[in-house]
Amino acid sequence: MHDDRTLVEARLKRVLDERIRPAVYPESVPLEVAVWNAPGEPVPVAEGLAATPEPIAVGARWGAPWATCWFRVTGTVPDAWAGRTVEAILDLGFDENMPGFQCEGLVYRPDGTPVKGLNPRNQWVRIGAPVEGGEEVRLHIEAASNPVILDYHPFQPTQLGDKETAGSEPQYTLARMDLAVLDETVWQLVMDLEVLGELMAELPVESARRYDILRAVERALDAVDLQDVNGTAAAARERLTDVLSAPAVPSAHRISAVGHAHIDSAWLWPLRETVRKVARTTSNMTALLEDEPDFVFAMSQAQQWAWVKEHRPEVWARVKKAVADGRFVPAGGMWVESDTNMPGSEAMARQFVHGKRFFLDEFGIENDEAWLPDTFGFAAGLPQIIKAAGSKWLLTQKISWSQTNKFPHHTFQWEGIDGTRIFTHFPPVDTYNCSMKGSEIAHAARNFKDKGVARHSLAPTGWGDGGGGTTREMVAKAARLRDLEGSAQVVWETPEEFFKKAEAEYPDPPVWVGELYLELHRATLTSQARTKQGNRRSEHLLREAELWAATAAVRAGFPYPYEELDRIWKTVLLHQFHDILPGSSIAWVHREARRTYERVAEELNGIIGAAQRALAGEGSGTLVFNSAPHTHDGVPAGGARTPVVEGEVAIASRAAGGFILENGLLRVEVDARGLVVSAYDLVAGRETVAPGRAANLLQIHPDFPNMWDAWDVDEFYRNTVTDLVDADEVAPGDGTSVRIVRTFGDSRVTQVLSLAAGERRLGIDTEVDWHETEKFLKLAFPLDIHAERYASETQFGHFYRPTHTNTSWEAAKFEACNHRFVHIEEPGWGVSLVNDSTYGHDVTRTVRDSDSGTTTTVRVSLLRAPRFPDPETDQGVHRFRHALVPGAAIGDAVREGYRINLPERQVTGSGEVAPLVGVDHDAVVVTAVKLADDGSGDVVVRFHESRGGRVRATLTAGFEIAAAAATDLLERPLADAADPERDGDRITLTLRPFELVTLRLKRA
């Protein structure tokens, strides 16, 4: 037989595009359209429905950026259509290639009942099936003219990302607004041909199955009369019956399709728009569930569920019913799909506490899975947190975006820093927006790394990022792929059903130890510095507020602010979403975040101040309150008293220019350039700064990644560097410090280097008035240390990374995350660099020419200046605090990291405040002291081993204990845990390395 394969395939494409798809709606009549432009921000539904609209014609421009327009469409179903299926086709001017990134709408009936959402891949509204003819149609559309930020030529700077700069030019052209007859037979033929055509394209050219499909398609096309598609569609479908009914081979890969709409809680749209995106999507999905009995939809992010409950009660009622039916599934058990690299220990725990508690309270459902498809890598401390929250599975997807190395597993056990393992799945479909294309299904089967020992994978199915969800076309394709020769088998299942099957078939999967590092989006550790500072400071203020409010409640009857703390925690957790905290959202999002963090700080400082005043009592003495988990200057952790400070600081001129600071523990030399050329540990008799090098060195690089400007820094940025060594001023400060001023480009840096009495720590306060574009600012510390690895803090512990680049996996980690400290050491002596608000850093090794000695350079990432999606990223004044700690062991790094983030507070009062709880071993770090969330008055204490070793420690309560129990993060007693060893108000525990413990103490 002659090979006419390409001829038939080309024929299929043209006939589908030009004849069959247009015949889906063979008859139509126009609707009358009127519009009302809401002034300012979105209005309540009742107001939009009651407004008086003005006529508008198809082809007219509408919608200023970020505006809301209320369209009213009216018409009458022709009598001649009686007995047929009729739909309204409502095209607001969509580009089909941009679902989630364009204008969108929510359709209402005149009584305010929501019908469904409109988006570029979902433009229809069912009027009747069948209709009687003569029905009056009246629908209202709440249309959002969200501008296109990420266009076909992506990453172009735009002012559209903030309503204050976006202008008022209409964004869209009103397109089709019709009533139309839906020919369901033709629509089904389209689905048949799409599934077979897409499957055929994925089969080997030499396979018999490919040619079976090819000939069946050819016969079907022969049966189509191109001048009467509607009259001949049924005959064409009959010719496809055999190839569509051929079953899959027994070894076929099996895909659990989960209906899904990944909705970024903010990204290229503000938070207020996400509230509406969620309402549109949930309206669509509840409607689709009613029409499709096999379909299952899962939605994560308790915050988004809470938005529906608060803002769209009529949609919430439909959601609750679908949840009760078991087909609309709460997923993930987190407040939002957060970043997991930067949130602190308690914040990461509270993501699960608040997320799981919401689903338990609302539906009595507890999630066993964490659901984080789009998060930019996963910190090594996360497995323990997932387990401590009562969950056992993790789903992620984003690791497939890694630039350098392909991850070796799709189903595996992920082991965290303490040894906890979590069963993890990484869908081989390589997208969290699967649309049931044949190419996606075939890719999942081919790509699956665990063939031969496992055969199940998961496919999150539906339009996402900006929402939209699953479409009826996806459901129709999945039905055909349920058992189809040549394809993987597809079935709709819940995440729980998938994980149970996957775990049962693969009881001993491979193990991945340590962080799941994404080899991409590394610059999200630095972009939008103010957002990151707001997060860090909010986390520590929340710690203080809970600690002092709990202490004052027990000691002084202070009213514990349960509701306020709950609300503030949820606000902070929301802003840890993986496009807010990482700095990859539009300007509007970060402008609002700054104001939110200011309000959070004001409210938390008010709670802290009131609680501390209640504890301090009357009197004129000065008390220092220590919120950190270690005693300092004689002030116990979690207590208050008058501190004891010993020693003094001297400052002298340096012979070669500059100044010398000394306090008996450290001698620091600052040269005439304002650089630290020596930081000598007088106790150990050892130099910190690498020979011939200078620390506190600001360096600036060009920063223009190949794509994803706010997200990425590409390794070639290092090829060009400028050392900022010229100083405008180097002068003594207040007698214990040196002040340095530099200018470069359009920017100015002011630094204060200081020593404190009795402290082996060089303080570095940096103020940058930043006005650069596409530049990367680093602060470098070359250290005279030979080290093949270094430690960086992560949740409830620290994690080691290599300093070398032996393999491509190591070389890819050229920018990494730390929390409060980075620590480098040789046996017996180390150095820590601590910070109050930065996360990104790099560590490199150098061998000296003079003596082959190895040195290690730590560089802190301070600022960037990408232009997309916020063209004014980080412009303005920023303040950072760092400290260099020579002679530091890992325990010193932990202590100093907390101290720089939790400075003491002075309060006037009458006497000492004893800690509410105390621990007798510095390796055990208390991360939370609070009252139980249930209002019982029980005291909850969370702590962990912080140094990576085993320890036996005693916790002493400063109140009488009636009972003590180990609990999970949700403060529920652990079923398999014995009561802790208790002697009165003293509890003794043995902790393994990095072990996390939560104790609930019932007050007598």
Side-chain angles (χ1 to χ4, degrees):
M1 177 180 282
H2 298 297
D3 186 1
D4 62 348
R5 176 180 58 82
T6 57
L7 193 68
V8 176
E9 291 171 355
R11 179 188 179 193
L12 170 62
K13 182 180 186 307
R14 185 176 186 193
V15 172
L16 257 178
D17 287 347
E18 298 185 22
R19 291 294 187 271
I20 301 178
R21 286 196 186 96
V24 168
Y25 291 107
E27 299 176 57
S28 63
V29 295
L31 289 159
E32 292 186 6
V33 189
V35 65
W36 175 70
N37 298 306
E41 285 294 277
V43 300
V45 173
E47 184 176 343
L49 295 175
T52 302
E54 299 292 332
I56 186 173
V58 166
R61 300 283 288 170
W62 72 276
W66 306 114
T68 300
C69 298
W70 282 84
F71 290 95
R72 185 188 66 198
V73 294
T74 55
T76 304
V77 177
D79 292 335
W81 292 359
R84 304 171 77 178
T85 298
V86 174
E87 294 182 343
I89 309 302
L90 307 173
D91 185 346
L92 299 172
F94 297 125
D95 180 336
E96 285 193 355
N97 296 313
M98 290 189 174
F101 296 91
Q102 276 217 326
C103 57
E104 299 170 28
L106 182 54
V107 180
Y108 295 90
R109 295 187 179 92
D111 65 359
T113 304
V115 181
K116 66 188 295 287
L118 297 177
N119 64 59
R121 295 297 180 98
N122 214 324
Q123 304 176 20
W124 59 273
V125 175
R126 181 64 57 89
I127 301 301
V131 296
E132 295 180 359
E135 292 96 333
E136 295 296 323
V137 175
R138 183 186 180 97
L139 297 171
H140 298 262
I141 308 167
E142 180 190 17
S145 53
N146 301 331
V148 176
I149 306 293
L150 189 67
D151 214 333
Y152 286 100
H153 191 71
F155 317 121
Q156 291 297 301
T158 175
Q159 296 295 327
L160 291 171
D162 195 328
K163 65 177 181 178
E164 295 183 355
T165 59
S168 57
E169 187 69 21
Q171 300 289 292
Y172 296 100
T173 300
L174 194 65
R176 188 177 183 184
M177 291 275 164
D178 288 346
L179 285 179
V181 172
L182 171 68
D183 189 325
E184 296 190 62
T185 302
V186 176
W187 186 86
Q188 295 288 355
L189 177 61
V190 171
M191 295 298 100
D192 292 343
L193 290 173
E194 283 189 2
V195 166
L196 290 171
E198 290 166 3
L199 173 59
M200 181 169 59
E202 298 301 322
L203 294 169
V205 172
E206 65 275 9
S207 72
R209 174 63 171 167
R210 180 162 182 158
Y211 283 90
D212 286 345
I213 295 173
L214 185 79
R215 294 305 159 209
V217 167
E218 184 178 40
R219 291 191 295 272
L221 294 178
D222 288 343
V224 174
D225 182 342
L226 299 185
Q227 277 67 51
D228 185 16
V229 173
N230 301 89
T232 54
R237 290 200 72 204
E238 289 177 6
R239 298 190 178 189
L240 299 173
T241 301
D242 289 344
V243 288
L244 283 169
S245 60
V249 298
S251 61
H253 185 66
R254 295 178 181 176
I255 293 176
S256 297
V258 178
H260 185 238
H262 174 67
I263 304 178
D264 287 308
S265 289
W267 179 27
L268 305 181
W269 44 87
L271 288 167
R272 67 92 151 142
E273 193 55 34
T274 313
V275 174
R276 302 201 297 175
K277 283 176 174 286
V278 174
R280 297 173 200 128
T281 298
T282 51
S283 294
N284 264 350
M285 295 304 95
T286 51
L288 190 60
L289 287 167
E290 292 172 1
D291 294 340
E292 301 290 349
D294 294 330
F295 175 55
V296 175
F297 182 76
M299 190 169 89
S300 66
Q301 307 193 75
Q303 171 69 87
Q304 296 188 0
W305 292 72
W307 279 334
V308 178
K309 181 182 179 183
E310 178 183 357
H311 297 282
R312 289 290 195 271
E314 64 282 1
V315 179
W316 179 247
R318 289 164 53 177
V319 169
K320 287 188 70 173
K321 180 182 182 304
V323 172
D325 293 340
R327 298 177 58 214
F328 196 121
V329 182
M334 295 176 67
W335 191 247
V336 294
E337 289 183 15
S338 71
D339 180 82
T340 75
N341 286 311
M342 291 177 281
S345 302
E346 270 306 304
M348 200 72 252
R350 303 300 175 96
Q351 286 287 351
F352 288 91
V353 169
H354 287 283
K356 295 194 78 167
R357 188 169 286 144
F358 181 89
F359 294 139
L360 281 165
D361 290 347
E362 294 294 336
F363 309 112
I365 291 173
E366 178 152 11
N367 301 96
D368 285 327
E369 79 289 333
W371 183 274
L372 290 164
D374 189 28
T375 297
F376 308 153
F378 299 88
L382 188 57
Q384 178 174 210
I385 298 171
I386 294 172
K387 182 179 180 182
S391 297
K392 56 185 178 180
W393 302 316
L394 169 66
L395 178 131
T396 181
Q397 178 68 68
K398 200 70 169 192
I399 302 299
S400 67
W401 285 42
S402 284
Q403 285 179 317
T404 306
N405 299 285
K406 194 167 181 64
F407 197 76
H409 318 297
H410 282 109
T411 302
F412 59 99
Q413 291 278 8
W414 178 29
E415 182 178 317
I417 56 174
D418 74 313
T420 297
R421 292 181 176 181
I422 293 294
F423 188 84
T424 302
H425 182 65
F426 166 28
V429 72
D430 281 352
T431 178
Y432 44 81
N433 295 324
C434 176
S435 62
M436 283 293 136
K437 283 185 180 177
S439 57
E440 294 169 336
I441 302 305
H443 176 75
R446 283 194 301 263
N447 188 41
F448 189 52
K449 298 290 187 186
D450 304 294
K451 290 187 282 282
V453 288
R455 52 192 300 202
H456 282 84
S457 71
L458 186 147
T461 302
W463 299 118
D465 291 316
T470 318
T471 65
R472 62 182 177 184
E473 289 79 11
M474 296 174 195
V475 176
K477 287 186 173 186
R480 289 160 173 79
L481 296 171
R482 186 178 184 90
D483 192 15
L484 183 62
E485 183 185 354
S487 171
Q489 294 178 291
V490 177
V491 62
W492 294 105
E493 291 187 307
T494 67
E496 180 183 23
E497 289 169 330
F498 161 75
F499 273 109
K500 284 182 175 178
K501 289 180 180 179
E503 205 169 27
E505 75 172 0
Y506 207 4
D508 191 24
V511 177
W512 182 269
V513 178
E515 67 182 334
L516 292 171
Y517 179 91
L518 176 63
E519 296 169 356
L520 195 75
H521 292 1
R522 303 167 181 90
T524 57
L525 302 173
T526 305
S527 297
Q528 298 287 0
R530 293 185 189 90
T531 299
K532 291 170 171 57
Q533 286 186 333
N535 173 74
R536 177 76 70 84
R537 290 168 184 168
S538 296
E539 288 180 348
H540 287 88
L541 286 169
L542 277 161
R543 171 198 174 91
E544 291 188 81
E546 289 183 337
L547 168 65
W548 300 120
T551 305
V554 174
R555 294 276 167 70
F558 182 77
Y560 192 80
Y562 291 101
E563 293 182 3
E564 294 89 337
L565 289 171
D566 180 79
R567 171 176 44 78
I568 295 170
W569 263 117
K570 288 172 179 174
T571 298
V572 173
L573 298 177
L574 167 60
H575 285 79
Q576 291 178 340
F577 178 74
H578 65 252
D579 276 308
I580 303 179
L581 179 54
S584 46
S585 288
I586 55 174
W588 188 346
V589 173
H590 294 289
R591 172 171 55 80
E592 286 191 331
R594 289 193 292 274
R595 294 173 182 171
T596 298
Y597 285 130
E598 289 170 1
R599 290 194 299 271
V600 163
E602 181 179 7
E603 190 167 3
L604 288 174
N605 278 314
I607 293 171
I608 294 164
Q612 290 180 339
R613 287 191 296 274
L615 287 164
E618 299 297 326
S620 58
T622 299
L623 294 178
V624 168
F625 280 76
N626 177 15
S627 304
H630 307 91
T631 297
H632 181 250
D633 288 342
V635 183
R641 59 168 293 177
T642 302
V644 178
V645 181
E646 297 179 350
E648 58 184 26
V649 180
I651 184 169
S653 297
R654 186 169 172 267
F659 299 91
I660 300 173
L661 294 169
E662 186 172 341
N663 66 357
L665 300 174
L666 280 183
R667 184 176 67 240
V668 177
E669 296 189 34
V670 182
D671 71 5
R673 302 170 298 171
L675 303 179
V676 176
V677 292
S678 174
Y680 193 78
D681 182 349
L682 295 167
V683 177
R686 170 142 183 185
E687 178 57 63
T688 305
V689 180
R693 303 289 299 278
N696 189 46
L697 173 64
L698 289 161
Q699 297 180 304
I700 196 163
H701 298 267
D703 183 20
F704 188 63
N706 288 344
M707 56 194 307
W708 297 109
D709 296 43
W711 295 255
D712 283 357
V713 55
D714 290 328
E715 191 171 15
F716 55 72
Y717 88 92
R718 290 180 171 177
N719 295 350
T720 305
V721 61
T722 301
D723 293 343
L724 303 179
V725 296
D726 295 331
D728 301 341
E729 177 187 335
V730 179
D734 59 1
T736 62
S737 64
V738 177
R739 182 173 183 269
I740 304 119
V741 178
R742 306 182 195 280
T743 53
F744 59 94
D746 294 322
S747 302
R748 175 186 175 94
V749 175
T750 302
Q751 288 187 300
V752 176
L753 308 184
S754 61
L755 291 184
E759 304 286 352
R760 194 157 61 170
R761 181 184 73 243
L762 173 66
I764 304 157
D765 289 9
T766 304
E767 179 180 286
V768 187
D769 189 3
W770 180 246
H771 298 283
E772 305 307 301
T773 299
E774 294 167 349
K775 296 289 193 294
F776 198 2
L777 183 65
K778 292 262 188 174
L779 182 60
F781 297 86
L783 306 174
D784 193 14
I785 290 184
H786 174 97
E788 293 185 358
R789 67 176 190 172
Y790 73 98
S792 61
E793 188 185 32
T794 189
Q795 293 98 1
F796 298 111
H798 56 266
F799 173 65
Y800 287 100
R801 296 187 184 95
T803 60
H804 56 74
T805 56
N806 282 356
T807 71
S808 59
W809 294 87
E810 293 151 355
K813 295 183 180 182
F814 59 82
E815 185 80 4
C817 182
N818 68 286
H819 286 189
R820 286 166 289 228
F821 69 80
V822 169
H823 181 254
I824 303 168
E825 70 176 346
E826 296 173 0
W829 194 83
V831 176
S832 187
L833 184 64
V834 300
N835 72 82
D836 78 335
S837 59
T838 56
Y839 296 91
H841 69 277
D842 66 77
V843 178
T844 54
R845 303 169 79 243
T846 302
V847 174
R848 299 192 295 267
D849 293 335
S850 59
D851 60 3
S852 298
T854 304
T855 65
T856 306
T857 298
V858 180
R859 297 199 308 163
V860 176
S861 302
L862 295 182
L863 290 166
R864 300 183 68 234
R867 300 184 66 211
F868 182 87
D870 176 4
E872 301 298 321
T873 300
D874 280 334
Q875 301 299 297
V877 177
H878 304 266
R879 295 176 180 87
F880 307 96
R881 296 183 67 217
H882 294 83
L884 184 70
V885 190
I890 193 70
D892 300 313
V894 174
R895 183 188 65 249
E896 295 297 338
Y898 270 101
R899 185 160 172 228
I900 199 171
N901 283 274
L902 288 164
E904 297 91 348
R905 294 174 183 257
Q906 291 190 357
V907 179
T908 300
S910 58
E912 296 184 5
V913 178
L916 193 61
V917 294
V919 183
D920 68 352
H921 201 300
D922 273 356
V924 178
V925 168
V926 175
T927 61
V929 177
K930 59 189 289 292
L931 296 193
D933 290 343
D934 61 7
S936 63
D938 292 354
V939 175
V940 173
V941 186
R942 188 149 33 247
F943 51 92
H944 70 285
E945 195 288 320
S946 67
R947 300 180 185 175
R950 294 183 184 272
V951 65
R952 186 169 173 83
T954 298
L955 180 146
T956 302
F959 55 93
E960 188 177 348
I961 299 175
T967 73
D968 64 8
L969 294 180
L970 277 71
E971 302 168 6
R972 303 173 299 189
L974 297 173
D976 56 352
D979 288 340
E981 180 183 330
R982 182 165 71 91
D983 180 9
D985 301 331
R986 295 162 56 86
I987 299 171
T988 302
L989 305 101
T990 300
L991 279 71
R992 65 178 186 273
F994 301 127
E995 183 178 0
L996 165 64
V997 176
T998 304
L999 289 182
R1000 182 169 180 147
L1001 309 178
K1002 184 175 182 59
R1003 292 152 58 191

